[in-house]
């Protein structure tokens, strides 16, 4: 009789580990007992007081104590289904969730150790000293890093205040024939494999690096500045030459009076007038002579 009671007690107490990814949703079900008088969820989170959500079927009343997180609610109407809903899941929801049911046949409970998973951001790059660095940033729990082929590696990690962990591994290979290496990052959310080619001295780039782009732009600007300076000097020199040429060229009288010269030299009317004037002058002289003689 005592053995049967102990077996019944062990069946009534069910605990399980429940991993869940961040930013998703999860439904936690209670013990599958169809009839219950009282259903209570106890939620124990880190650095927070105990939160309880209760429902009494005899008077159809729900009650909450110290429950401020609006993302944790009843999944359905508690009189129909006593499951708990978390939507969306956050890192702060890491904790222990226990459902207790009081029935005419006894008390039953089911507990969940909720583990919130955060996938790390994985990168693989070459450092300036020729080593390779594989990094898994802000994962929860901490990721594991391995290399192919194996080299001389130094692992490090940094724990953040929100419970995430950054791990990285810095490796170098004594064998000069190693040209390609792979980094494998293992995490409960999945496995990531990255590959990189090693180079002698400075790491090679798959494309144009930012320093090269800056250097190229700087060279172009210098060339434009030089060309612009030469162009400005050339324009300034031409203007000075033109001014000197204008100031130093003598102005001839024929150039100042082109029309008068042309009139005097080429116009027949001018010649006729000149002849008439000459005749008049000669006649005056003759008349004057005659008068003087008379």
């Amino acid at each position: 009789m005592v053995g049967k009671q102990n077996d019944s007690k062990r069946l009534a107490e069910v605990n399980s580990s429940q991993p869940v990814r961040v930013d998703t949703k999860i439904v936690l079900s209670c013990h599958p007992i169809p009839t219950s008088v009282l259903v209570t969820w106890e939620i124990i989170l880190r650095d927070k007081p105990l939160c309880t959500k209760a429902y009494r079927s005899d008077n159809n009343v729900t009650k909450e104590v110290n429950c401020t997180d609006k993302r944790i609610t009843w999944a359905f109407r508690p009189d129909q289904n006593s499951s708990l809903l978390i939507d969306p899941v956050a890192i702060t929801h890491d904790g222990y969730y226990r459902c207790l049911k009081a029935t005419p046949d006894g008390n039953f409970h089911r507990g969940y150790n909720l583990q919130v998973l955060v996938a790390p951001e994985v990168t693989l790059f070459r450092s300036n000293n020729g080593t390779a660095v594989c990094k898994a940033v802000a994962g929860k729990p901490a990721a594991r890093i391995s290399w192919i082929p194996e080299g001389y590696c130094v692992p490090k990690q940094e724990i953040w205040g929100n419970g995430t962990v950054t791990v990285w591994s810095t490796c170098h290979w004594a064998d000069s024939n190693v040209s390609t290496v792979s980094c494998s990052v293992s995490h409960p959310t999945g496995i990531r494999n990255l590959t990189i080619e090693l180079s002698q001295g400075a790491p090679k780039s798959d494309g144009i690096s930012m320093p090269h782009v800056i250097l190229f732009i700087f060279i172009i600007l210098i060339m434009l500045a030089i060309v612009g300076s030469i162009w400005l000097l050339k324009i300034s020199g031409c203007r000075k030459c033109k001014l000197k040429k204008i100031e130093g060229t003598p102005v001839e009288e024929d150039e100042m009076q082109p029309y008068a010269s042309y009139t005097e030299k080429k116009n027949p009317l001018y010649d006729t007038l000149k002849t008439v004037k000459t005749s008049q002058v000669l006649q005056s002289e003759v008349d004057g002579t005659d008068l003087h003689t008379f």
Side-chain angles (χ1 to χ4, degrees), residues 1-145:
M1 185 68 179
V2 175
K4 290 183 179 181
Q5 290 179 350
N6 290 337
D7 291 341
S8 177
K9 185 177 181 180
R10 283 195 296 268
L11 290 174
E13 297 177 357
V14 179
N15 290 282
S16 62
S17 179
Q18 185 68 46
V20 59
R21 295 190 64 160
V22 70
D23 295 328
T24 60
K25 67 179 179 179
I26 187 173
V27 175
L28 304 177
S29 60
C30 201
H31 202 283
I33 301 296
T35 59
S36 60
V37 178
L38 177 65
V39 179
T40 303
W41 276 98
E42 294 181 347
I43 303 171
I44 304 173
L45 303 178
R46 184 179 58 181
D47 300 331
K48 290 186 178 181
L50 174 66
C51 163
T52 59
K53 292 178 177 289
Y55 169 73
R56 290 184 61 95
S57 60
D58 55 350
N59 55 10
N60 194 24
V61 174
T62 57
K63 185 178 180 180
E64 295 185 0
V65 178
N66 294 328
C67 299
T68 58
D69 195 330
K70 302 302 181 182
R71 293 167 292 186
I72 305 176
T73 60
W74 296 97
F76 309 95
R77 286 176 50 181
D79 59 331
Q80 297 177 357
N81 191 318
S82 55
S83 298
L84 196 68
L85 171 67
I86 306 176
D87 184 20
V89 175
I91 296 178
T92 55
H93 292 146
D94 235 13
Y96 182 69
Y97 299 74
R98 180 172 60 179
C99 179
L100 300 97
K101 276 190 174 183
T103 71
D105 298 327
N107 297 330
F108 302 85
H109 85 267
R110 168 171 286 182
Y112 298 92
N113 288 304
L114 194 66
Q115 182 185 20
V116 179
L117 306 178
V118 180
E121 181 180 352
V122 180
T123 57
L124 175 60
F125 58 92
R126 293 179 299 269
S127 60
N128 294 330
N129 57 6
T131 60
V133 180
C134 186
K135 202 167 188 179
V137 180
K140 185 177 178 299
R144 293 180 300 169
I145 299 176

Side-chain angles (χ1 to χ4, degrees), residues 210-243:
M210 185 57 66
H212 291 167
V213 174
I214 296 175
L215 178 61
F216 179 78
I217 295 175
F218 183 73
I219 293 174
I220 294 296
L221 292 175
I222 291 177
M223 293 178 64
L224 291 175
I226 294 173
V227 173
S229 300
I230 295 173
W231 182 72
L232 290 175
L233 290 174
K234 187 175 180 180
I235 292 177
S236 177
C238 290
R239 288 179 178 176
K240 290 181 179 179
C241 290
K242 289 181 179 179
L243 291 174

Side-chain angles (χ1 to χ4, degrees), residues 176-205:
S176 59
N177 294 325
V178 176
S179 60
T180 303
V181 296
S182 296
C183 163
S184 179
V185 178
S186 300
H187 192 263
T189 58
I191 298 176
R192 291 283 307 278
N193 295 307
L194 300 177
T195 301
I196 196 172
E197 292 185 0
L198 298 179
S199 62
Q200 299 297 330
K204 295 181 179 179
S205 176

